[in-house]
Amino acid sequence: MELQRRVNLKPYNTLSLNVEAAYFVAINCLDDLRQARKFCHDKCCPWLLIGGGSNLVLTQDFEGLVMLMAMDQVFWPVEKEKQSISKTFSVNAQAGYEWDLLVAESVARGASGLENLSLIPGQVGAAPIQNIGAYGVELKHCLELVQVFNFDTGDTFELAAKDCEFGYRDSVFKRNRSWIVTQVQFSLTYGNQPQVSYGIIADTIMSLSGELAANASPQQVRDAVIHIRRSKLPDPKKVPNVGSFFKNPIVSDSQKQKLAQQWPGLVAYAIDGKGHKLAAGWLIDQLGWKGFKQGDVGVHEHQALVLVCSGVATGKDVLDLAQTIKVDVAKKFGVTLEVEPRLFDNRGEFYL
Ligand SMILES: Cc1cc2nc3c(=O)[nH]c(=O)nc-3n(C[C@H](O)[C@H](O)[C@H](O)COP(=O)(O)OP(=O)(O)OC[C@H]3O[C@@H](n4cnc5c(N)ncnc54)[C@H](O)[C@@H]3O)c2cc1C
């Protein structure tokens, strides 16, 4: 384990926030995690694990150890085994493997399962934390098993999908902060019907390839998703952002009815007997925030759910704007927005 002191974290978070870690280490294997645990224990210092840094807001210099997940092996079934597998097979990827690379490689093999989750930034290990989702698919649909290192106890264990308590942008990992995901096993399929229930995907497949969505290959679905995402979302390498800043709020059926009467055009999706999910971006857009700019932060011009910053903004600037939007939405719609990225100060996580 090669420990460094006073490392700038700007390259390690997609908001480009200019904060420092008192101690910093790349985690290349389980033994590095064990040594890092001992270091934090001996020094009595806090710790923070970073993957791709695309879902966090760092508001202050971190006083403890920042660990960069760098375990990046992937284990595809060998050709011989693959031939004997008729339809479904498993692939294992370590936590530090780049998420979109795994998607690209699965699609290149003609396997389906991950293609709707194309181009989501970050690492494999972070994907189960908030059960990443996009275009009608969530990670839980293809995850089999997660390997975990408990940073509190030093134990390792496996968790089956059914024990991960997956929900909308939620999982058991959000309630067990010392559980570090070290490897994930996915179940992929050959010859599966693509998931194209999102109308925009079917339309985009047709316009890009002239193919009916029902006949589309995983590659065609991936191409469509990439096309849509590139046209709607800013590239964090050019415009610092963390994707959607707020979760889509869930309201009761009666609250949804009331809002729909007041606000014709309200965008809402029924969630099997559990109320309605409102499109947070639509709510924010109605209040005129899209394209708003204030100093070094703002709201993206094409997507009201995405806060952007200039590269010199502070985490506090970003959170001040988020808080102002949150208050505005609560005042006008009576709906509470919840922040999606994870927020950290000098010693650990906090909530807005
Ligand atoms: C342009 C853009 C588009 C996005 N689109 C989507 C989208 O469509 N759907 C979606 O769901 N998300 C989306 N996101 C959010 C983000 O990409 C995902 O949440 C992603 O999984 C975060 O991965 P990461 O490696 O960057 O995590 P990080 O930001 O590094 O970490 C996020 C949190 O997870 C924890 N963590 C990271 N790795 C591990 C691990 N191995 N074990 C335990 N905890 C860990 C961190 O401590 C932190 O609390 C988008 C972000 C951007 C910038």
Side-chain angles (χ1 to χ4, degrees):
M1 181 176 94
E2 269 185 48
L3 196 79
Q4 298 174 62
R5 275 171 173 263
R6 301 184 64 88
V7 170
N8 191 294
L9 298 176
K10 200 174 162 77
Y12 303 109
N13 75 95
T14 63
L15 278 171
S16 262
L17 298 169
N18 192 12
V19 293
E20 237 179 42
Y23 304 99
F24 181 89
V25 71
I27 300 293
N28 291 294
C29 59
L30 271 181
D31 202 47
D32 286 349
L33 273 176
R34 290 191 191 102
Q35 287 186 48
R37 176 174 175 271
K38 181 168 180 328
F39 174 86
C40 293
H41 185 263
D42 293 350
K43 278 235 173 259
C44 261
C45 74
W47 57 275
L48 163 62
L49 183 86
I50 291 190
S54 65
N55 207 27
L56 39 84
V57 183
L58 305 168
T59 61
Q60 285 178 323
D61 289 342
F62 193 73
E63 287 175 11
L65 176 67
V66 170
M67 297 179 279
L68 179 72
M69 177 48 79
M71 297 167 65
D72 61 355
Q73 302 281 304
V74 64
F75 309 100
W76 292 98
V78 290
E79 258 339 277
K80 214 165 90 201
E81 282 172 29
K82 215 173 96 186
Q83 282 157 14
S84 67
I85 301 163
S86 55
K87 222 172 168 239
T88 302
F89 67 96
S90 301
V91 57
N92 280 277
Q94 286 187 325
Y97 203 70
E98 187 189 329
W99 172 256
D100 193 51
L101 192 54
L102 182 72
V103 180
E105 289 173 352
S106 68
V107 162
R109 285 170 159 79
S112 72
L114 306 181
E115 59 277 12
N116 294 51
L117 304 176
S118 289
L119 216 61
I120 297 180
Q123 297 185 344
V124 164
I129 310 301
Q130 71 157 8
N131 180 27
I132 56 168
Y135 304 103
V137 170
E138 287 183 348
L139 187 80
K140 67 174 182 185
H141 294 128
C142 48
L143 181 142
E144 284 182 331
L145 202 71
V146 179
Q147 288 185 20
V148 180
F149 176 84
N150 185 336
F151 206 80
D152 276 352
T153 63
D155 296 336
T156 52
F157 60 96
E158 283 186 352
L159 212 57
K162 66 175 174 39
D163 299 318
C164 290
E165 299 173 16
F166 286 128
Y168 166 62
R169 301 290 190 268
D170 193 32
S171 76
V172 72
F173 300 101
K174 289 201 170 174
R175 290 171 282 286
N176 292 278
R177 303 293 163 86
S178 62
W179 292 6
I180 292 182
V181 173
T182 54
Q183 188 163 309
V184 186
Q185 181 172 310
F186 302 92
S187 168
L188 303 180
T189 315
Y190 289 119
N192 221 20
Q193 192 74 3
Q195 170 52 261
V196 287
S197 56
Y198 249 71
I200 186 165
I201 295 206
D203 295 348
T204 310
I205 291 170
M206 179 53 83
S207 74
L208 289 182
S209 64
E211 187 74 79
L212 280 175
N215 303 328
S217 65
Q219 185 66 58
Q220 283 168 323
V221 176
R222 174 172 165 81
D223 291 345
V225 169
I226 289 177
H227 183 83
I228 298 163
R229 292 183 74 99
R230 287 207 170 125
S231 69
K232 281 173 61 171
L233 289 168
D235 177 353
K237 289 193 186 105
K238 295 182 188 141
V239 182
N241 75 90
V242 280
S244 303
F245 209 88
F246 299 100
K247 294 183 193 175
N248 290 321
I250 294 169
V251 297
S252 66
D253 293 339
S254 60
Q255 193 179 359
K256 184 252 164 184
Q257 297 290 6
K258 228 168 93 188
L259 281 168
Q261 278 164 8
Q262 257 181 296
W263 299 85
L266 180 81
V267 181
Y269 310 92
I271 38 174
D272 346 309
K274 292 185 195 146
H276 280 77
K277 199 192 273 177
L278 306 181
W282 186 89
L283 300 176
I284 298 168
D285 198 11
Q286 295 314 296
L287 304 180
W289 285 101
K290 204 189 267 176
F292 173 85
K293 278 207 170 49
Q294 178 182 276
D296 292 312
V297 292
V299 179
H300 190 247
E301 56 191 343
H302 301 309
Q303 175 50 270
L305 206 46
V306 177
L307 303 192
V308 291
C309 57
S310 64
V312 294
T314 64
K316 183 178 177 309
D317 296 334
V318 180
L319 292 191
D320 284 349
L321 175 59
Q323 181 63 16
T324 310
I325 293 174
K326 206 177 144 166
V327 169
D328 198 21
V329 168
K331 207 163 80 190
K332 302 277 180 16
F333 295 101
V335 170
T336 306
L337 290 183
E338 207 183 313
V339 167
E340 184 179 308
R342 311 279 290 271
L343 315 178
F344 296 90
D345 61 17
N346 56 334
R347 294 195 63 84
E349 187 161 15
F350 69 97
Y351 304 90
L352 197 63

